[in-house]
């Protein structure tokens, strides 16, 4: 790439960093401030009994907000921020008793208090570190506007009517000085904006990473995901055994009995033997269909033969709602990663069809080469209200992705839309 091409690429990175920084500063300050206030009020109201009902939902929103920032850090800068939340026991009850138990478990999780501390940091130091790259890109526009004549709005040239940074604006001469300062800021933004935005995410990682260190968190997460993987494999084996016993095996046994009867009747009652042969042929076809469905449930042939993108498209074709699929995968991930991603998408789509009331779904599958992430976003225009740990099946998806160090983030405000984002670190072949 020549010098002009490199300069253009650097300028684009600076502009993108400025735009992202501005979005993070505005949305981050408003979102973190709102969630912090809601969290404090909800926890305080526990003594009145009301907080027991509201705290699990509010803290789930906080976790989703933190997970979204983790996803952004990984996708934009390749910065991995571990999400070391303690999983809920499988036997957590429902209703008011279940909410009280979830409230107790969430408040007893150190990760909850790290999230709340991060909200404070995000609305203060995080706001500043996100705003700096945006200011270096946007603030020079004011300096150029002053030099172009905007200074006349603030002064008639006889007094200081405005300050641009540390430059007092009192006439055209000082307006040109403001333009010179704008040039310096723009040059600084050209070189520093991406690095400054990276500082924002490094600060986020420093606050959200467990105090005991990332290695300890890593060991905890790996221990839990290994246990989840073993439990999932055992459950899958039991499902396969049950399906074989209740389906194909029963049909094959019945077909064997029919063949024995046919053997006894073939000479005495040929007509009855023909009827039983037809029935045996039908049973064999149904057994073959069930075996194919069973194999498809273990590892779909289209996934093995054509990869994740085509498998997701085939999955979308079977849905009863309109589904748009956008795939950008320049290669294939390892088979276990593809399988985990496929069944995670399948579960999310099933949830969208069954529970959201949506009539349209969008699926985006792509790989971020720089960050080495397989990123899948499933969005529906349903009623919203989905959350991890609310009996929606999202907890199982989170455990499935956790086996591969994957991240699940859910944005589902009341009234919709719902966006489920999944990320798995992997390389494509």
């Amino acid at each position: 790439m020549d010098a002009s091409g490199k300069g253009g690429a650097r300028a684009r990175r600076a502009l993108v960093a400025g735009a992202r920084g501005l979005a993070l500063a505005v949305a981050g300050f408003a979102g973190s401030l709102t969630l912090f206030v809601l969290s404090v009020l909800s926890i305080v109201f526990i003594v009145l009994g009301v907080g027991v009902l509201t705290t699990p939902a509010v803290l789930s929103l906080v976790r989703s907000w933190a997970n979204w920032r983790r996803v952004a850090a990984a996708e934009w800068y390749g910065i991995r921020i571990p999400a070391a939340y303690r999983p809920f026991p499988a036997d957590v009850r429902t209703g008011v008793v279940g909410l009280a138990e979830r409230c107790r478990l969430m408040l007893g999780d150190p990760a909850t208090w790290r999230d709340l501390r991060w909200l404070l940091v995000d609305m203060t130091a995080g706001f500043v570190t996100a705003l700096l790259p945006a200011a270096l890109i946007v603030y020079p526009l004011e300096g150029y506007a002053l030099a172009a004549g905007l200074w006349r709005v603030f002064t008639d040239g006889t007094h200081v009517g405005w300050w641009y940074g540390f430059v007092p604006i009192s006439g055209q001469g000082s307006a040109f000085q403001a333009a010179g300062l704008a040039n310096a800021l723009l040059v600084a933004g050209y070189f520093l904006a991406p690095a400054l935005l990276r500082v924002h995410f490094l600060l986020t990682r420093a606050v959200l990473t467990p105090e005991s260190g990332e290695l300890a968190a890593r060991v905890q997460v790996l221990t839990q995901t290994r246990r989840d993987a073993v439990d999932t494999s055992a459950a899958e084996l039991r499902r396969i055994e049950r399906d074989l016993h209740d389906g194909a095996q029963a049909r094959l046994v019945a077909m064997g009995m029919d063949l024995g009867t046919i053997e006894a009747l073939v000479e005495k009652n040929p007509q009855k033997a023909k009827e039983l042969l037809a029935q045996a042929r039908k049973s064999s076809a149904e057994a073959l269909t069930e075996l194919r469905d069973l194999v498809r449930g273990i590892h779909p042939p289209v996934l093995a033969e054509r990869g994740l993108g085509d498998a997701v498209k085939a999955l979308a074709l079977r849905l009863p709602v309109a589904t748009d699929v956008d795939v950008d995968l320049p290669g294939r991930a390892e088979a276990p990663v593809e399988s985990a991603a496929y069944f995670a998408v399948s579960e999310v789509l099933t949830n969208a069809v069954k529970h959201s009331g949506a009539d349209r779904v969008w699926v985006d599958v792509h790989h971020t080469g720089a960050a080495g992430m397989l990123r899948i976003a499933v969005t529906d225009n349903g009623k919203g209200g989905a959350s991890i740990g609310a009996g929606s099946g999202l907890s199982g998806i989170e455990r499935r992705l956790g086996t591969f160090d994957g991240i699940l983030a859910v944005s589902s405000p009341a009234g919709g839309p719902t966006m489920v984002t999944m990320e798995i670190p992997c390389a494509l072949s």
Side-chain angles (χ1 to χ4, degrees):
M1 183 182 295
D2 56 19
S4 61
K6 292 181 179 179
R10 181 183 287 274
R12 284 192 296 273
R13 288 196 297 271
L15 287 173
V16 169
R20 288 172 171 172
L22 182 60
L24 281 174
V26 175
F29 179 81
S32 294
L33 177 61
T34 301
L35 287 173
F36 183 77
V37 172
L38 289 175
S39 299
V40 171
L41 290 176
S42 184
I43 292 172
V44 169
F45 286 157
I46 288 178
V47 297
L48 301 177
V50 179
V52 174
L53 305 178
T54 60
T55 298
V58 172
L59 293 182
S60 294
L61 287 175
V62 173
R63 291 186 175 188
S64 297
W65 182 243
N67 282 335
W68 174 78
R69 197 64 60 88
R70 290 184 176 96
V71 170
E75 182 178 353
W76 294 349
Y77 284 99
I79 296 175
R80 299 284 296 160
I81 304 175
Y85 299 114
R86 292 176 180 174
F88 290 130
D91 58 349
V92 173
R93 288 167 287 185
T94 58
V96 176
V97 176
L99 285 174
E101 190 172 357
R102 289 177 186 276
C103 181
R104 178 184 62 80
L105 291 171
M106 296 182 85
L107 292 178
D109 188 348
T112 296
W113 302 102
R114 280 196 300 272
D115 285 350
L116 295 178
R117 185 172 68 244
W118 167 73
L119 292 177
L120 275 174
V121 173
D122 191 52
M123 71 176 77
T124 52
F127 172 76
V128 173
T129 54
L131 189 61
L132 277 176
L136 291 176
I137 300 300
V138 177
Y139 192 47
L141 298 178
E142 181 183 339
Y144 298 140
L146 289 169
L150 183 64
W151 65 271
R152 292 186 176 86
V153 176
F154 307 107
T155 179
D156 58 3
T158 62
H159 63 281
V160 174
W162 189 256
W163 285 80
Y164 178 74
F166 55 81
V167 177
I169 306 301
S170 58
Q172 187 64 58
S174 56
F176 283 139
Q177 294 177 17
L181 177 58
N183 285 334
L185 292 175
L186 196 59
V187 170
Y190 175 80
F191 288 103
L192 298 179
L196 289 174
L197 189 59
R198 182 179 179 85
V199 169
H200 170 84
F201 289 112
L202 291 175
L203 174 65
T204 301
R205 183 175 66 178
V207 179
L208 287 178
T209 299
E211 290 82 352
S212 55
E214 191 170 350
L215 180 60
R218 183 91 173 112
V219 171
Q220 179 184 1
V221 171
L222 287 176
T223 301
Q224 181 60 42
T225 54
R226 182 183 63 181
R227 186 183 301 116
D228 291 339
V230 171
D231 292 344
T232 301
S233 297
E236 187 69 10
L237 287 174
R238 288 194 297 270
R239 182 188 69 81
I240 294 171
E241 181 181 6
R242 183 179 65 251
D243 290 348
L244 283 173
H245 181 271
D246 297 341
Q249 180 179 332
R251 294 190 183 280
L252 291 173
V253 169
M255 187 173 65
M257 295 174 63
D258 288 341
L259 290 175
T261 305
I262 291 169
E263 186 178 7
L265 294 176
V266 68
E267 293 182 358
K268 299 179 180 179
N269 191 344
Q271 184 62 33
K272 183 65 175 178
K274 288 182 180 180
E275 294 177 2
L276 291 176
L277 275 174
Q279 183 176 335
R281 187 184 302 111
K282 181 180 178 182
S283 296
S284 67
E286 291 175 348
L288 182 60
T289 300
E290 290 182 355
L291 286 173
R292 285 174 176 168
D293 292 339
L294 183 62
V295 170
R296 188 179 295 110
I298 299 171
H299 194 77
V302 66
L303 180 62
E305 297 169 4
R306 303 177 62 180
L308 179 62
D310 287 339
V312 172
K313 290 178 181 178
L315 193 63
L317 289 174
R318 297 199 295 269
L319 294 180
V321 299
T323 306
D324 297 327
V325 180
D326 184 19
V327 177
D328 182 14
L329 296 177
R332 295 192 60 175
E334 294 181 351
V337 173
E338 284 192 333
S339 180
Y342 173 84
F343 286 109
V345 173
S346 177
E347 180 70 19
V348 172
L349 291 175
T350 300
N351 284 348
V353 172
K354 285 185 176 180
H355 307 297
S356 72
D359 58 15
R360 196 165 192 87
V361 179
W362 296 265
V363 183
D364 178 74
V365 183
H366 70 272
H367 187 267
T368 56
M373 286 282 180
L374 174 64
R375 186 174 189 273
I376 305 172
V378 180
T379 307
D380 67 66
N381 62 352
K383 62 185 179 182
S387 62
I388 299 174
S392 60
L394 294 174
S395 296
I397 298 173
E398 187 177 40
R399 289 193 296 270
R400 183 189 293 273
L401 298 180
T403 307
F404 300 91
D405 288 343
I407 296 174
L408 176 69
V410 180
S411 173
S412 184
T418 295
M419 182 176 183
V420 179
T421 304
M422 298 164 278
E423 286 207 349
I424 305 176
C426 67
L428 299 185
S429 59

